Amino acid sequence: MSEMTYAEAVRAALAVAMEQDERVFLMGEDVGTYGGAFGVTGDLIHRMGAERIRDTTISELGIVGMGVGAAMTGMRPVVEIQFSDFSAQAMDQIANQAAKIHFMLGGAVSVPLVIRAPGGSGTGAAAQHSQSLEAWFTHVPGLKVVMPATADDAKGLLLAAIDDPNPVVVLEHKLLYRTSGTVRDGAERTPLGVAAVPRRGTDLTIIATGVQVSRSLEAAEQLAQEGIEATVVDPRTLKPLDEETIATEAIATGRVLLVQEAVRTLGFMSEVAALLSEGEAFVHLKAPIRRLAGLDVPIPYAPQLERAVVPQVEDIVAAAQTLVREW
């Protein structure tokens, strides 16, 4: 086990994957000599060479298109989108090519493509560089979607995504890059489709994604000081989703609070709410399922406004208190 930042864990995963499989390579804007917009790729170009750490032109459509083609011909490309917002430029390749080719060609080819994309607010990057777009990708059949919330999962899930024969979108929250944690050494994978339960309680279940996982854990510690014990569930993989663990933990407490940074309307947590409402968990609930999400507005530039439009620790505490006390 080693202590490292989330960004270092991503870099470690890329290095391990490239050392283990000569088909793996990385491409994107400024991933080479510059070391990545957020310093994630660092010195990989010096360790792996310019053939495998490829700087590209500023064309997300072209970058992902090259990745699709490379994957179809037997390579294992990892494409970095500098900001997840820019994936809008590449959605034809992501949704209409990468996600569908395996099915449209009767399974004759696979597209083992990984698309890494930093997202989320909190860096003062304003409306076009701060969105949380996981619902876009989970809506597309043929794509797998992961959102690592810890440094260890940033490494383990990325390694598993690179192994997968299907296209996988890995969404990394920008605020998490500088956070640190204990990371497993070597090449151990974190299986896709398996949720984590970093904390268990008896009064309510908080299901959260991305940066909201650490915020929910902090909120749970504050709630415990006033006698409210919360379970925290991190789905880790949004698609395929570990429905069994989510349902089990919801049943165990009977109260569910769903927390996401993305806007509320048609967000990913709406799907989680629907799954719980339609399944066995529903008859065990003591209270209506509650969602806590970002406001339906573009992310503001002003720091105080940016903070106000997405859930913070105090918002999670307040929502949990209301849920437990009213029901």
Side-chain angles (χ1 to χ4, degrees):
M1 305 290 281
S2 302
E3 188 78 10
M4 63 178 68
T5 67
Y6 187 108
E8 290 169 339
V10 173
R11 188 184 314 141
L14 292 169
V16 167
M18 285 189 278
E19 289 166 355
Q20 290 186 336
D21 190 341
E22 63 182 10
R23 299 172 299 170
V24 178
F25 70 98
L26 173 69
M27 62 178 170
E29 299 164 13
D30 295 325
V31 298
T33 303
Y34 187 69
F38 297 94
V40 174
T41 47
D43 65 347
L44 281 180
I45 191 169
H46 302 297
R47 295 159 58 188
M48 301 298 172
E51 284 293 308
R52 302 185 71 188
I53 308 295
R54 289 181 167 262
D55 281 322
T56 64
T57 57
I58 304 175
S59 172
E60 285 73 24
L61 182 66
I63 299 167
V64 178
M66 287 188 288
V68 172
M72 289 176 64
T73 55
M75 300 297 286
R76 294 268 174 169
V78 179
V79 169
E80 178 180 304
I81 304 293
Q82 197 170 81
F83 287 82
S84 64
D85 314 68
F86 301 163
S87 63
Q89 299 290 330
M91 282 304 284
D92 178 62
Q93 286 294 334
I94 296 171
N96 289 330
Q97 307 302 329
K100 295 180 171 60
I101 286 174
H102 175 76
F103 301 92
M104 294 181 69
L105 296 184
V109 298
S110 296
V111 186
L113 168 68
V114 172
I115 300 172
R116 292 182 40 250
S121 65
T123 62
Q128 296 173 333
H129 298 72
S130 304
Q131 297 171 88
S132 299
L133 301 175
E134 59 270 17
W136 286 14
F137 302 110
T138 55
H139 190 68
V140 179
L143 295 180
K144 294 185 177 182
V145 183
V146 301
M147 286 185 73
T150 67
D152 188 65
D153 283 340
K155 181 182 178 184
L157 287 170
L158 180 54
L159 284 168
I162 294 171
D163 290 345
D164 203 280
N166 304 285
V168 183
V169 178
V170 180
L171 299 171
E172 304 162 357
H173 199 287
K174 298 191 290 290
L175 288 184
L176 293 175
Y177 280 140
R178 295 185 180 181
T179 62
S180 298
T182 302
V183 177
R184 291 166 291 174
D185 296 324
E188 191 170 348
R189 273 66 171 165
T190 301
L192 303 185
V194 179
V197 186
R199 191 185 196 281
R200 280 194 168 87
T202 55
D203 296 311
L204 81 156
T205 298
I206 303 173
I207 303 171
T209 53
V211 74
Q212 297 298 343
V213 175
S214 56
R215 290 176 182 170
S216 294
L217 288 168
E218 185 177 343
E221 291 301 315
Q222 293 185 23
L223 289 164
Q225 295 175 13
E226 55 185 84
I228 298 174
E229 292 293 339
T231 290
V232 177
V233 179
D234 173 11
R236 300 197 289 196
T237 303
L238 307 192
K239 194 175 180 183
L241 182 65
D242 186 354
E243 298 179 20
E244 181 178 354
T245 296
I246 288 172
T248 298
E249 299 303 330
I251 290 170
T253 66
R255 300 181 183 90
V256 177
L257 175 62
L258 306 175
V259 186
Q260 67 181 33
E261 177 171 325
V263 298
R264 178 184 176 92
T265 302
L266 298 178
F268 174 75
M269 284 303 179
S270 297
E271 177 66 15
V272 177
L275 290 169
L276 291 173
S277 298
E278 294 168 353
E280 179 188 354
F282 181 73
V283 298
H284 297 273
L285 296 180
K286 305 172 185 176
I289 297 168
R290 296 289 178 87
R291 288 178 293 159
L292 179 62
L295 301 183
D296 283 16
V297 298
I299 299 294
Y301 171 69
Q304 67 273 27
L305 295 178
E306 180 183 32
R307 190 180 190 281
V309 301
V310 300
Q312 305 296 329
V313 173
E314 61 267 25
D315 301 312
I316 300 171
V317 170
Q321 289 171 334
T322 300
L323 182 59
V324 171
R325 290 169 180 170
E326 289 188 355
W327 297 88

